[in-house]
Each structure stands twice: as C-alpha cells, then as structure tokens.
Amino acid sequence: NKMASIRLGICKLARRSISASINRCRVSSPKKGKYSWYFCRVSLKAVSNSVVAETASWQCCTSRGVRWSNSDAAAAPSVSKDSVKETQLADFGRYVQEMLPKYVQQVQVTANNELEVLIHPDGIVPVLTFLRDHHNAQYRQLVDLTALDVPKKLYRFELVYNLLSITYNSRIRVRTYTDELTPVDSVTAVFNSANWAEREVWDMYGVFFADHPDLRRILTDYGFEGHPLRKDFPLSGYVEVRYDDEVKRVVCEPIEMTQEFRKFDLSSPWEHFPKFREPTVISPPEDSQPQQIEEEKK
C-alpha cells in the first residue's frame, strides 16, 4: 500500500508540473498554437487519468495478494524459437508437397532452419508459380539462381532457386537437376529477375534454358569456348588474351605455357625447421676406414 500511495503521489506531481509548463508556454506565446495547447491539455488529462486508474487497480491487486513471483515464471514451459520455426517450416513443406505431388519429390529442413523443396525438372514453372501466387506463400521475389556441378552424378548439374517472401518474412530454396543435353524451362515469365541469372548459368555451366528471350553469354568475351565453372574445364583455359603491338589491338590466341615463366619448388617445407629433422648418420666409405685407423695409431 505504501508503494501504491508513493506511485500515485509521483503521478500527481508530474501532472501538475507538466500542466504548469504548458501554461507558461501559452502565456509566453498566446497568439500561436491556441487550439494545439487546448488539445495538449485534454490529451494530458486523459493520460493522467489512465495512469491514476492503473495505479488504483495495481493497489487493489496488491491488497488482495495478487502478485507475480519468480516461481511462476520458472514454471512456465520454455519453447525455443528454433524448434517452433523448424516445425512451421516442416508443416509448410508438407503442405506444398500435398498440393503439388506430381512435381515435388522431397521436402527437407536444413540444420540452419532453411526449407528446401526438391522437385522434378518439368515442375519448375508450376512450382515457382504456385509459391509466388498462393496466399499462404507469396514468395514474390527471386533472390538468386545458381547451379552446381557434380560430374559423378547421372544428372551432373543441380539448379538452385532462392525465393523470398516479404509478406511472411520467409525464405525457401527450390532445387532441381539436369545434364548437358537436357534443356530446362525458363522462369523469366514468372520472375523478371531470372533473365540475367539464367544467362549467367548458361555462360558458366552450359545449362540451356528453353523459351528464354535472350539466352547469350553475359560474363565471358565474344567467341569464348567452353564453360569456366564446369569441373572438367582446365584451370589454364584454352585461349589467352594479350595486346599485340603490331596489330595495335587485343588478340585472342591459343594458350602457350612457356618454360621461362614456370617456377618449380620441390623442396620440402620441413627443410625450414631444422629442429624437426630426423637425425641422419653418415657412414664413411669403406676405403677410408683403414687409413683412419692407421692415423689414429700414429
């Protein structure tokens, strides 16, 4: 009760001091803001009354012995946000799989709570359209489109589509597969941002996108042969570019690895640490042993 009365007194003092300051300001400038001062006083009065009512209710509750204790907070069940998010992502993944059973092959949640949907290559356009237009998804932004090359697999290329839903603040990853000869449907009709991304995948990996409006190289030069990010592409490449003084322009020629620019370092790195060398015992040649014995006797 003492704490409640102290709190009530502080609220009254604050109300009086604020009212006095407003009156002083109105006296100093009576012609400006006449109606604004009135509304300020009315709102201040409403706020003060609500504070007084809240203090009275708190006083009533304390008089009846109704209080929160640390034991009540500890007894409440604690559920981590990560587990809740993982459960929500798994439920939504199963929902997508039930809605599109023809195309969705697998749904999984990664260790970082990221939802991945593995689909058949024929279902790229239907699945992305569903994720963009469905009310419970609204993934209306294609953040990134990239590929992955694994030569040991039957379908060596894996396409990855990263989508973002600003409405639900959620991300999803759609994965599919293809090879060197099988084209994949372009999603430029679904997401306009896929235009340059598909050109980059075609330039770096050689994945052909059907129905693309302008499928041409975007990073490499004109007349470039091969796809640099494939695992079987040599690190040195096939051609080299240099400036020719005779022609007065940049020329592209087959690469030549000249010997004078090569540097071979065959020394072991342990040679720089003599303390870690293994002790080597050098035995003298057999012919020199009798001479050493005679010299020692003399």
Side-chain angles (χ1 to χ4, degrees):
N1 295 332
K2 288 182 179 181
M3 293 298 296
S5 60
I6 291 172
R7 185 179 177 185
L8 183 61
I10 292 173
C11 292
K12 290 181 179 179
L13 290 175
R15 180 182 175 184
R16 291 175 184 174
S17 61
I18 295 173
S19 300
S21 62
I22 290 177
N23 291 327
R24 284 196 300 271
C25 293
R26 194 177 69 172
V27 170
S28 61
S29 57
K31 295 183 180 180
K32 297 182 180 180
K34 179 179 179 181
Y35 296 101
S36 62
W37 292 120
Y38 173 74
F39 285 116
C40 287
R41 294 192 64 184
V42 171
S43 61
L44 176 64
K45 186 175 181 181
V47 171
S48 302
N49 292 334
S50 64
V51 171
V52 171
E54 181 182 359
T55 308
S57 62
W58 182 82
Q59 181 180 2
C60 180
C61 292
T62 52
S63 62
R64 294 180 182 179
V66 180
R67 288 187 180 182
W68 291 101
S69 61
N70 295 329
S71 61
D72 297 334
S78 60
V79 180
S80 62
K81 295 182 179 180
D82 294 337
S83 61
V84 174
K85 184 177 180 181
E86 183 178 359
T87 304
Q88 293 176 353
L89 291 176
D91 294 340
F92 180 74
R94 286 191 294 268
Y95 175 73
V96 174
Q97 190 172 13
E98 292 175 358
M99 295 297 292
L100 301 170
K102 181 179 178 181
Y103 303 115
V104 179
Q105 297 176 344
Q106 185 180 352
V107 176
Q108 60 186 9
V109 180
T110 62
N112 297 326
N113 287 336
E114 296 177 352
L115 181 60
E116 292 184 351
V117 180
L118 283 67
I119 65 174
H120 190 270
D122 296 339
I124 292 179
V125 175
V127 172
L128 294 186
T129 305
F130 172 82
L131 294 176
R132 184 196 64 178
D133 298 337
H134 197 275
H135 178 72
N136 295 331
Q138 299 189 27
Y139 291 95
R140 297 180 178 177
Q141 185 174 356
L142 177 64
V143 179
D144 188 20
L145 166 59
T146 185
L148 182 66
D149 184 15
V150 184
K152 295 181 180 180
K153 293 184 179 180
L154 179 61
Y155 298 95
R156 59 181 295 182
F157 297 115
E158 180 179 343
L159 298 177
V160 182
Y161 299 81
N162 295 317
L163 305 179
L164 171 63
S165 175
I166 300 179
T167 304
Y168 297 106
N169 190 19
S170 177
R171 296 177 183 269
I172 192 172
R173 184 180 298 115
V174 180
R175 296 165 52 186
T176 186
Y177 50 87
T178 185
D179 55 7
E180 303 96 326
L181 303 176
T182 306
V184 180
D185 293 334
S186 176
V187 295
T188 53
V190 184
F191 298 102
N192 294 328
S193 59
N195 191 342
W196 283 16
E198 290 179 353
R199 288 178 57 185
E200 182 180 354
V201 173
W202 158 250
D203 191 4
M204 296 289 105
Y205 293 95
V207 178
F208 186 82
F209 292 93
D211 299 331
H212 191 279
D214 186 18
L215 188 63
R216 54 192 172 94
R217 293 184 181 271
I218 191 174
L219 297 179
T220 57
D221 200 1
Y222 298 102
F224 188 87
E225 296 180 1
H227 304 281
L229 291 186
R230 285 189 177 184
K231 296 297 183 181
D232 51 4
F233 190 83
L235 296 178
S236 59
Y238 297 109
V239 294
E240 60 182 358
V241 180
R242 65 177 181 85
Y243 180 78
D244 194 349
D245 293 332
E246 297 179 357
V247 187
K248 300 299 181 181
R249 65 181 179 87
V250 177
V251 296
C252 183
E253 298 176 346
I255 190 169
E256 295 181 0
M257 302 294 291
T258 55
Q259 186 70 24
E260 59 181 347
F261 291 106
R262 294 186 180 183
K263 183 179 179 181
F264 299 98
D265 187 9
L266 301 178
S267 62
S268 174
W270 295 105
E271 295 293 334
H272 302 285
F273 304 95
K275 293 183 179 181
F276 297 96
R277 292 181 185 173
E278 295 182 358
T280 56
V281 179
I282 301 175
S283 59
E286 297 179 356
D287 298 338
S288 63
Q289 289 181 359
Q291 295 178 1
Q292 291 179 357
I293 293 173
E294 292 178 358
E295 291 178 358
E296 290 178 357
K297 289 181 179 179
K298 292 179 181 181

